[in-house]
Amino acid sequence: MTSSAGPRVVIIGAGIVGCALADELTERGWTNVTVVEQGPLFATGGSTSHAPGLVFCTNPSKSLTEFADYTVRKYRELRLDGAPCFLPIGGLELATTTARWDDLKRKHGLAQSWGVRSELLDPQECARLWPLVDRDRVVGGFHTPDDGLAKALRACEAQARRAIERGAVFLAHHEVVDIEQRGGRVSAVVTSRGALPADVVVSAAGLWGPKIGRMAGVHVPLLPMAHQYAKTSHVVGTSGLPDDGAQRPILRHQDADLYFREHGDRLGIGSYAHRPMPVDLDEVLSPDAAPVMPSMLEFTPVDFDPAWRDAVALLPALADAEVEEGFNGIMSFTPDGMPLVGESREVAGFWLAEAVWVTHSAGVARAVAELLVEGRSTVDVHECDVHRFEDVQLDPDYVRERSTRAFVEVYDVVHPLQPAEQPRPLRVSPFYPRQRELGAFFLEAGGWERPHWYEANAEHTADLHLPQRGEWASRYWSPIAAAEALATRERVALYDMTPLKRLEISGPGALEFLQRMTTNQMAVRPGTVRYTLLLDEAGGVRSDLTVARLDDDRFQVGVNGNLDLDWFLRHAPREVSVRDITAGTCCVGVWGPRARDLVQPLTRDDFSHRGFGYFKAKRARIAGVAVTAMRVSYVGELGWEIYADADVGLRLWDALWTAGQEFGVVAGGRSAFNSLRLEKGYRAWGTDMTPEHNPYEAGLGFAVRLDKGDFVGRSALVELADQPPRRRLVPLLMDRPEHVVMGKEPVRVNDAAVGYVTSAAYGYTIGHSIAYAWLPSRYAEPGTPVHVEYFGEQLPATVAAEPLFDPRMERIRC
């Protein structure tokens, strides 16, 4: 039931997220909003009620940084009865080791990339901001002057008052006991005081999110964890402000997993250094039964003792103080440490806004409001989407183990390639036994074990002359990757492409469905492959796909992950079947100038250029194995992606491996693969482009056919097609080959950050370090000199024309 005030929305939870969402929705005209809370308003008893309020914007995730930035900007302007809802005291992170100092330099680069004001300080400058710090222990600091302390309860009430003025209703002491559904969508929220009709239900219940999800039949992969926070007695040298005030920046001592904030003349100390403390929801008390509040558990001093010693070592004045009060506060963690945002596909109208800390509260609330009202968030939310996890990642034991790891690593220096160690292996391809025999070094993604290089190829590195790369870029890298890349360019290599998700879309309406959903022309003859895009209504790139038309009404679609599956399932009409076939199939990429020499003798089918052209697909038999072969190449060489049923995958690999010995075949890993694809300028969705970018600025206009008829996003592209892009994704060549960067570094022109790096690797064929970057169009012309800031150093680079390798496509079309 929708009125001029919008649909009937019930938000579960009046914590910081629920209040912010009510404010954002009502501001957009959806005023038929009810917020239900099991506890009192506004100290509800959830995590918001005990949160210390730290807001640090800088994060490796651009989206989380933007959420935090909006939170700061919004709460700075909020006041409650004349009192501020945010104290802009800044933030200061200290390094007491050289490793942490290097990480702060990297973090300073992230801040510049995402537009956060920051500076690196020497020990004297750190001590000026925080005189209590033992300067002799400090190597350096990272200062962010716009960060600060959110007064969470004030912010809750201030936003709630604004929402109420616009028509929203807040109901205290209404415990949710059920979510009613009718016809596959939510119809009401049943509380201890009666039912509330609802067209949209948003769970912003925090640590109770999994419980609310169970009522709706929706799995919420969230683990409540206890986190220690203590307040000291009076500390000499504090600012001594009244009313729990603070003057000095939030202080983080991440080498010891500690943070500090002033509470008037006392200090608050938060610790992640203790043992993980998962919380069983069934043991969490109700607001009425809890001694203080449900989210505040009894303090365990023995767990805090090591943290106290580290705190005294950094702040010697604490030696004359003591822990006066403390508690173990419950917080929400997910397997990857990111929030859970979006609508359930199984239960229409049931939304999640969970695992959101105060830091990101207003930003996430705005994103959810935009998704609800306008259908699109102005900030890319794919990293937070509730459907991002694979089925194996939703197992309760997996959620518990990985969420626990997320807690342990909150303040760790985590390399972007660093994998979790447990639980593994979860998913392996049929080629896994041979990969282990070849000494594969595995990293993990989406639960899959993915070889990054093979020790068996170490013998091919003897005559290589590679530039010395830095310590950070050398982690999870081996010179063997160079040997595998060069073998692909010179001979032939086998790549395991099994982990790349693939769908079968079939049925009498399959063609019309794909025409409507994608940008390229799908009305092609069976046996044709197309590269195409999924867009949102604003023309943003939701994903890029490889679509093979196998029969009149059957297509195989290579996608980027579960979000694409969810998108197709949401939009498919009844007569169209969308089926994930990844688990039952496998894929080996056979690429290199000798690929045809290897494959053709194993099959009676014609694999010649005339008989099997570029971007064509064919069902065939190779060494007696029924396959679907597609002549596509993500590495820029002759070859095929060869798909087979999983049960015959090992047989296929062995046949190709044996036949390839006379041609010097090698197994290639993801590290070589990434280098080869960047030499060709092939984009990686989620890294190089997201829904924040349109096809023309991303260099993908060739995949758009505006003349094919209507498709999602077409109207937006019609307006964009004749406009010069204001920014572009372009390759940079580092002026010195040893300057290998990793991604997300700021790109500077005239000492000002103007863009940021997306993907980066050393190009073994061209002998240059490559970094793709988003730049304003005026700086995106080939030959433009720029600098990439890497760990505080300004590395010279030059914008280049693409592709960097084989621009005439002669190698791939032979």
Side-chain angles (χ1 to χ4, degrees):
M1 177 179 172
T2 302
S3 67
S4 60
R8 298 169 298 185
V9 180
V10 176
I11 299 170
I12 301 173
I16 192 73
V17 179
C19 291
L21 179 56
D23 184 36
E24 296 287 337
L25 283 174
T26 55
E27 184 180 34
R28 288 165 175 78
W30 280 25
T31 57
N32 198 351
V33 173
T34 302
V35 182
V36 295
E37 171 55 51
Q38 66 174 345
L41 300 176
F42 286 92
T44 64
S47 300
T48 300
S49 303
H50 66 66
L54 281 65
V55 179
F56 275 90
C57 289
T58 308
N59 191 284
S61 166
K62 180 173 179 287
S63 297
L64 288 190
T65 301
E66 291 178 341
F67 289 155
D69 176 69
Y70 179 74
T71 300
V72 167
R73 288 187 284 114
K74 182 177 184 180
Y75 293 171
R76 282 186 74 146
E77 301 301 318
L78 274 181
R79 301 187 76 82
L80 181 70
D81 298 330
C85 295
F86 186 83
L87 302 181
I89 57 178
L92 177 63
E93 298 182 38
L94 298 181
T96 58
T97 64
T98 55
R100 181 66 63 177
W101 179 229
D102 285 342
D103 189 57
L104 294 188
K105 293 176 184 176
R106 183 177 69 94
K107 191 168 287 186
H108 175 63
L110 289 170
Q112 302 308 296
S113 290
W114 312 146
V116 177
R117 284 204 304 153
S118 67
E119 58 183 341
L120 294 171
L121 305 181
D122 63 27
Q124 290 73 23
E125 292 169 315
C126 294
R128 177 180 57 81
L129 288 176
W130 256 88
L132 298 181
V133 167
D134 181 354
R135 187 174 62 187
D136 293 337
R137 295 180 58 85
V138 178
V139 178
F142 170 63
H143 181 223
T144 47
D146 296 324
D147 290 338
L149 287 172
K151 295 293 186 177
L153 295 183
R154 284 186 202 166
C156 283
E157 187 167 353
Q159 292 176 100
R161 285 186 187 181
R162 299 201 310 194
I164 291 168
E165 287 175 359
R166 302 184 190 116
V169 175
F170 279 69
L171 301 175
H173 304 293
H174 280 60
E175 180 184 359
V176 175
V177 296
D178 195 14
I179 309 291
E180 289 186 350
Q181 303 174 37
R182 184 179 299 116
R185 67 171 302 116
V186 295
S187 59
V189 173
V190 182
T191 77
S192 54
R193 299 191 178 189
L196 300 168
D199 305 302
V200 174
V201 175
V202 184
S203 178
L207 67 98
W208 290 281
K211 181 179 179 180
I212 300 299
R214 285 195 295 270
M215 295 178 192
V218 174
H219 182 58
V220 179
L222 178 158
L223 180 70
M225 299 274 290
H227 159 63
Q228 290 199 299
Y229 191 76
K231 292 181 181 179
T232 69
S233 58
H234 168 71
V235 177
V236 176
T238 53
S239 56
L241 295 174
D243 300 325
D244 199 31
Q247 187 176 58
R248 297 196 177 108
I250 304 161
L251 184 68
R252 293 205 286 185
H253 178 24
Q254 293 173 302
D255 286 320
D257 292 316
L258 293 173
Y259 63 83
F260 306 84
R261 58 151 294 187
E262 291 182 314
H263 288 278
D265 67 348
R266 304 188 296 166
L267 291 184
I269 306 173
S271 171
Y272 292 99
H274 55 80
R275 61 187 171 89
M277 303 178 190
V279 175
D280 186 341
L281 266 181
D282 293 334
E283 297 178 4
V284 176
L285 299 175
S286 68
D288 293 335
V292 182
M293 62 178 68
S295 64
M296 292 177 66
L297 306 181
E298 184 178 355
F299 189 61
T300 50
V302 67
D303 292 304
F304 196 74
D305 286 345
W308 178 255
R309 289 193 292 271
D310 287 333
V312 172
L314 181 71
L315 306 174
L318 287 176
D320 296 325
E322 61 183 2
V323 173
E324 200 165 68
E325 57 181 296
F327 61 91
N328 293 359
I330 305 177
M331 303 169 65
S332 299
F333 284 82
T334 60
D336 58 4
M338 299 294 286
L340 299 169
V341 173
E343 182 185 18
S344 165
R345 187 177 64 253
E346 296 80 10
V347 183
F350 184 79
W351 287 69
L352 295 179
E354 298 290 12
V356 182
W357 295 3
V358 171
T359 301
H360 310 113
S361 55
V364 169
R366 179 183 65 169
V368 174
E370 289 175 336
L371 288 166
L372 279 164
V373 178
E374 301 156 26
R376 181 181 191 267
S377 167
T378 52
V379 174
D380 169 42
V381 294
H382 84 271
E383 294 175 303
C384 308
D385 194 294
V386 296
H387 295 284
R388 66 188 181 268
F389 297 111
E390 296 287 330
D391 283 345
V392 295
Q393 297 172 304
L394 297 177
D395 175 75
D397 290 339
Y398 178 95
V399 171
R400 184 183 181 89
E401 186 152 4
R402 288 295 173 92
S403 299
T404 299
R405 175 178 179 261
F407 173 89
V408 171
E409 292 183 346
V410 164
Y411 280 173
D412 284 2
V413 178
V414 179
H415 192 275
L417 294 177
Q418 183 174 324
E421 297 302 325
Q422 297 296 333
R424 289 176 63 188
L426 285 174
R427 309 172 81 184
V428 298
S429 82
F431 318 137
Y432 185 67
R434 299 296 181 262
Q435 292 167 346
R436 295 190 65 183
E437 291 170 7
L438 292 169
F441 178 84
F442 293 99
L443 297 181
E444 183 227 34
W448 287 99
E449 295 296 320
R450 292 162 46 134
H452 272 241
W453 64 81
Y454 295 85
E455 288 296 330
N457 296 323
E459 60 183 301
H460 302 301
T461 65
D463 297 325
L464 296 179
H465 299 284
L466 300 174
Q468 186 72 32
R469 58 171 66 196
E471 189 273 337
W472 189 250
S474 295
R475 294 191 199 179
Y476 305 101
W477 173 84
S478 168
I480 295 171
E484 294 170 2
L486 294 172
T488 308
R489 293 278 188 241
E490 296 166 2
R491 303 189 304 277
V492 63
L494 305 184
Y495 288 84
D496 181 6
M497 307 302 289
T498 302
L500 301 183
K501 186 178 283 289
R502 47 205 164 272
L503 313 177
E504 181 184 81
I505 297 181
S506 60
L511 173 60
E512 291 75 14
F513 175 57
L514 286 170
Q515 282 284 68
R516 169 67 180 156
M517 298 301 295
T518 70
T519 61
N520 211 334
Q521 178 60 260
M522 296 292 109
V524 293
R525 282 189 278 184
T528 303
V529 182
R530 281 283 189 264
Y531 176 80
T532 188
L533 307 173
L534 291 180
L535 305 181
D536 60 25
E537 292 289 355
V541 181
R542 283 192 58 95
S543 189
D544 63 340
L545 317 173
T546 302
V547 180
R549 190 176 191 183
L550 302 181
D551 294 305
D552 287 344
D553 296 329
R554 186 166 69 92
F555 297 79
Q556 182 171 311
V557 184
V559 301
N560 282 296
N562 238 33
L563 299 186
D564 296 338
L565 172 62
D566 175 61
W567 185 250
F568 279 125
L569 288 171
R570 286 180 185 275
H571 290 85
R574 285 182 183 274
E575 66 272 16
V576 173
S577 168
V578 177
R579 189 166 64 96
D580 185 353
I581 61 172
T582 312
T585 57
C586 61
C587 178
V588 56
V590 185
W591 292 308
R594 304 303 300 273
R596 185 175 286 118
D597 297 332
L598 191 163
V599 174
Q600 186 62 77
L602 298 177
T603 180
R604 292 187 175 90
D605 294 277
D606 186 358
F607 273 60
S608 69
H609 182 58
R610 180 184 294 270
F612 198 156
Y614 184 57
F615 259 68
K616 298 297 181 183
K618 178 183 290 191
R619 280 171 287 198
R621 287 191 177 271
I622 295 176
V625 176
V627 303
T628 298
M630 299 183 194
R631 192 170 164 199
V632 295
S633 171
Y634 205 51
V635 300
E637 294 292 335
L638 168 68
W640 296 267
E641 291 180 357
I642 301 175
Y643 297 87
D645 289 341
D647 58 348
V648 291
L650 192 57
R651 179 182 171 191
L652 175 64
W653 177 279
D654 287 345
L656 293 167
W657 183 257
T658 300
Q661 294 308 302
E662 64 175 294
F663 307 113
V665 70
V666 303
R670 297 292 300 183
S671 186
F673 183 88
N674 192 52
S675 170
L676 295 168
R677 68 104 178 165
L678 284 180
E679 289 181 330
K680 285 298 294 178
Y682 295 148
R683 277 65 167 146
W685 185 84
T687 301
D688 296 319
M689 70 275 189
T690 71
E692 294 183 357
H693 309 105
N694 70 61
Y696 302 119
E697 58 192 10
L700 299 174
F702 66 88
V704 175
R705 295 291 182 267
L706 293 176
D707 59 355
K708 76 164 185 170
D710 195 24
F711 56 85
V712 176
R714 182 183 182 278
S715 59
L717 292 193
V718 169
E719 296 183 15
L720 293 168
D722 296 327
Q723 301 175 13
R726 61 183 179 86
R727 58 184 175 182
R728 288 166 50 198
L729 180 65
V730 294
L732 312 179
L733 290 179
M734 308 302 293
D735 288 2
R736 295 179 59 177
E738 69 270 22
H739 288 164
V740 180
V741 299
M742 297 295 295
K744 303 185 178 181
E745 297 85 4
V747 180
R748 294 183 171 275
V749 175
N750 298 327
D751 202 35
V754 298
Y756 60 91
V757 173
T758 58
S759 297
Y762 185 79
Y764 302 109
T765 315
I766 65 174
H768 281 279
S769 292
I770 306 165
Y772 265 77
W774 281 101
L775 294 177
S777 292
R778 65 183 179 276
Y779 301 126
E781 292 302 316
T784 303
V786 299
H787 284 82
V788 177
E789 182 177 320
Y790 185 67
F791 286 89
E793 291 188 64
Q794 305 298 316
L795 309 181
T798 305
V799 178
E802 60 176 344
L804 303 171
F805 176 77
D806 189 25
R808 297 184 179 181
M809 303 287 282
E810 294 170 340
R811 297 172 70 95
I812 205 169
R813 296 180 183 271
C814 59

